[in-house]
Amino acid sequence: MRTLILTVVFGLISAVVFAQTGVKGRVLSGETSLVEAVVKIENTTIGTVADQGGYYELTSLKPGNYTLRVEYIGYKTVRRKLLVMADQMTTVNFELAVDADLNEIVVSATLKPVLKSESVVPVEIYTPKFLQKNPTSSLFEAVRLINGVQPQLNCNVCNTGDIHINGMEGPYTMILIDGMPIVSSLSSVYGLSGIPNSLIERVEVVKGPASSLYGTEAMGGIINVITKDAKSAPLLSLDGFTTSWLETNLDAAMKFKIGENTNSLLGINYFKYGERKDHNKDGFTDVTLQERVSVFNKWNFDRAEGRTASMAVRYLYEDRWGGENHWNRKRDRGGDQVYGESIFTNRMEAIGMYQLPTTPNIYTQFSYNWHQQNSFYGTESYQAKQQVIFGQAYWDKELRNHSLLVGTSYKYTYYDDDTRGTGIYDEDGLVENDPMKRPNLGIFVQDEWTLNKQNKLLLGYRFDYDKVHKGIHSPRIGYKFTPSPHHVLRASFGTGFRVVNVFTEDHRALTGAREVVFAEALNPEKSYNANLNYSWKVPASFGVFNFDATAFYSYFTNKIDADTDTDQTKIIYDNLDGHAISQGLSLNVDVVFDFPLKLMMGATYMEVYRKEEGERNSLYHSPKWSGNLLATYDFGSGFSTDLTGNWTGPMRLPRVEDDYRPEYSPWVVLANIQVTKKFNERFEIYGGVKNLFNTLPKEDAIARWWDPYGEPGNGVTPPAGRNDVIFEPNDYSYTPLQGIQGFLGLRYTVF
């Protein structure tokens, strides 16, 4: 009897203590879990997002009647009324249907609103949840987890870099914000810094050329950052973290309404790192000290008949420096006693889109950016200003089974600096300042032809006129074959071009270590490209497999060659007298299990090389093998863990004459682990370890670090047998100088 009474008592206590009032369920589309589907109770601030298995849960609700709304990009919104009973968890599952009428699902591939599954051009989409698996202070670091995308440091002192896609250098990658080419070449290093992660709706990646729509700088691929719509964004988002290296990052976003037809979204990013650390004992800072503030404000306007109108502005200020540990800004900036690289950046951007109030669908877009850089690289001054004005208009028309796009664009670039790039010099020095003023007018046409349910054909053509290089043609053709919903084959062929300004792209041209020489007038680069993509969805009894395989090939003529081997005191720019090739295979595998585990794996094999006078050489920083791994497991009770990492094989590295360092890097693995505790729909904390295996360079990252100015300046005895090399702080980089570190952060969201 005593046992029975105790059992009943403990049962009642457990029921009182652990009984919850709320609703739970799963959001699906067929067999696919809709990760990060937004689940909200209408007319309240209560909401959440679905986890990796599509599951959601809203607890601590008061008993009563509610209307539950579920939203997911590319799918029709579903509303359902429900009655919540006291001390009960009501189960409500949702099946969402694809919304073929939804705008702006994929814009970077073909400029037209189109669903990812219907796009002729393969597009990879990454959500904020993906970016949160390894929290970073900038998108530059976050894209490291994307297979085939490699953020590459080009300077081991100031830690500037660019983003490689399929082995091609950063200038071949176009960065877009909301579909607009807002990130100019001068700011390719800094353009992905300071975009608040709390404002990002998704990141779209297109690997391969897109010059037929976007013109120059789109030869290697596109990264398009889509920001949230001010109307549907959360009311408030806060995300902040700090690391054991005392790096601090804060993202904040808040939306508000102005009148009846205007919604605004304000975002702020702040980053601070001020510690002088020198773990490798070379006398230089391991990581650049920096302070960054970025403010982003976006407006969305409600108009008659659902026409589009939006505008956004962003301002960025950054102060960064790296160099010898005892460098002092007031005493040593620009001096020849203590080496340092100091960069002040002021940047302003504006973008907008407006659909004309006409029966034909005519859209206008514009962007403007102003960039001012005040820099010293040792004794070498680099004071630069750049302004880029871009505008375009296009007509979107459906004609039976043809989807036409016809448009025109205009881009004007003004660039001035205090180097030989924008000046006329003689033996005595500067004769006349000659800023670059380059207009570019383009027209483009595209036809997406639906032959039948299984076959689509994409035809595109672009003509650009540049005052220096005259007319440039860029045709494009794509084909999509869908034999069944689980199999899709995509093929594309096209050409690309790039008008080059080396001083805004190659950091080696800005340092005092080498003299810059132009062997001849540079011609625009051209490329011929082919891609074959196959995606395959495999339902299984325990989950769903998604395979995505791509074969790519690009042939470059007139490629700009930065020769640092002929003369160790010079960097010689010339058009390649030969050709360059980027070719390879990539495979992505995405597995969503019925139990709360999700895996994402990828691998890329590529050969990127140039061939001149019968001699073949691999391009720098282009590993033959690379890949990534992401694993997420949900333990329940709000606990989940993420294991992320990427790896690269040996890659050729730039060296100086008589260099004692190896020509090729070793295999490198960077791994991270994170644990997240979600307390409720609004609040969660996360923490973990970055660079889990403490992967660091095995060699000197800076050549002749003990003697930057020809006389020992840091009190270090020169290593034996290393006196013949010159000082070179750039490019010899294959892994960050930052070793293992812990991090801790929190997120707070009000829907």
XYZ file of all heavy atoms in Angstrom, residues 8 68 79 126 158 165 232 313 321 369 443 447 498 503 520 590 684:
151
model
N 1.564 7.063 -6.593
C 0.533 8.035 -6.974
C 0.975 9.456 -6.658
O 0.814 10.388 -7.462
C -0.806 7.706 -6.267
C -1.818 8.821 -6.509
C -1.347 6.375 -6.738
N -2.267 29.924 -35.381
C -0.859 29.609 -35.607
C -0.530 29.849 -37.080
O -1.251 29.385 -37.967
C -0.592 28.156 -35.233
C 0.848 27.765 -34.867
C 1.324 28.558 -33.668
C 0.911 26.277 -34.563
N -2.074 29.114 -42.133
C -2.648 29.537 -40.852
C -3.602 28.451 -40.362
O -4.341 27.867 -41.162
C -3.390 30.858 -40.985
C -2.484 32.063 -41.222
C -3.304 33.319 -41.455
N -2.477 34.509 -41.530
C -1.850 34.903 -42.639
N -1.976 34.199 -43.755
N -1.110 35.993 -42.629
N 22.212 29.354 -48.342
C 22.623 29.149 -46.959
C 21.870 30.127 -46.059
O 21.858 31.330 -46.313
C 24.139 29.330 -46.818
C 24.903 28.335 -47.660
C 25.315 28.662 -48.954
C 25.172 27.063 -47.179
C 25.984 27.743 -49.742
C 25.843 26.140 -47.956
C 26.243 26.485 -49.240
O 26.904 25.559 -50.024
N 48.348 42.650 -41.916
C 47.081 43.367 -41.754
C 45.871 42.458 -41.905
O 44.730 42.900 -41.762
C 46.985 44.527 -42.748
S 46.920 44.020 -44.474
N 36.564 31.135 -55.364
C 35.547 30.151 -55.716
C 36.144 29.211 -56.754
O 36.611 29.659 -57.804
C 34.268 30.812 -56.260
C 33.586 31.643 -55.166
C 33.291 29.753 -56.775
C 32.305 32.307 -55.606
N 8.616 41.543 -42.481
C 8.492 40.210 -41.886
C 9.618 39.867 -40.917
O 9.618 38.786 -40.339
C 8.447 39.150 -42.998
O 9.624 39.217 -43.800
N 20.744 51.684 -46.884
C 22.039 52.368 -46.795
C 22.876 51.662 -45.740
O 22.349 51.072 -44.783
C 21.889 53.865 -46.452
C 21.174 54.605 -47.556
C 21.168 54.050 -45.126
N 45.188 47.549 -37.541
C 46.628 47.615 -37.721
C 47.250 46.303 -37.261
O 46.745 45.600 -36.400
C 47.249 48.800 -36.970
C 47.388 48.610 -35.487
C 46.508 48.961 -34.521
C 48.504 48.006 -34.806
N 46.983 48.612 -33.278
C 48.213 48.039 -33.423
C 49.717 47.447 -35.230
C 49.091 47.529 -32.474
C 50.593 46.932 -34.277
C 50.272 46.981 -32.915
N 28.395 53.479 -54.073
C 29.288 53.292 -52.937
C 30.442 54.272 -53.009
O 30.937 54.622 -54.084
C 29.778 51.844 -52.826
C 30.588 51.397 -54.015
O 31.725 51.803 -54.170
N 30.008 50.542 -54.855
N 24.031 46.296 -72.304
C 22.672 45.852 -72.600
C 22.659 44.330 -72.507
O 23.665 43.675 -72.797
C 22.192 46.319 -73.993
C 23.127 45.800 -75.086
C 22.076 47.828 -74.053
C 22.620 46.073 -76.499
N 16.310 34.775 -72.338
C 15.063 34.067 -72.605
C 15.120 32.704 -71.922
O 15.996 31.892 -72.220
C 14.855 33.899 -74.115
C 13.573 33.118 -74.441
O 12.686 33.051 -73.567
O 13.484 32.580 -75.558
N 36.638 40.529 -67.661
C 36.960 41.320 -66.478
C 37.896 42.444 -66.854
O 38.930 42.229 -67.481
C 37.603 40.445 -65.395
C 37.702 41.126 -64.050
C 38.074 40.112 -62.970
N 39.440 39.650 -63.138
C 40.482 40.207 -62.535
N 40.308 41.245 -61.747
N 41.687 39.735 -62.710
N 45.680 47.750 -58.750
C 45.972 48.394 -57.477
C 44.826 48.276 -56.489
O 45.003 48.465 -55.297
C 46.327 49.869 -57.705
C 47.746 50.051 -58.139
C 48.089 49.965 -59.469
C 48.749 50.265 -57.210
C 49.400 50.111 -59.872
C 50.060 50.416 -57.606
C 50.392 50.335 -58.941
N 53.334 45.970 -70.088
C 52.608 46.468 -71.253
C 51.244 46.959 -70.792
O 50.854 46.771 -69.647
C 52.427 45.352 -72.290
C 51.587 44.185 -71.778
C 51.385 43.097 -72.818
O 51.890 43.239 -73.927
O 50.690 42.113 -72.494
N 23.972 15.980 -48.478
C 23.179 16.504 -47.370
C 22.258 15.385 -46.898
O 21.471 14.842 -47.683
C 22.368 17.707 -47.868
C 21.598 18.384 -46.750
O 21.559 17.837 -45.644
O 21.024 19.456 -46.999
N 18.612 32.093 -26.134
C 19.493 30.940 -26.182
C 20.924 31.388 -25.939
O 21.303 32.531 -26.210
C 19.387 30.199 -27.515
C 19.856 30.981 -28.725
C 19.684 30.196 -30.015
O 18.540 29.803 -30.326
O 20.707 29.988 -30.706
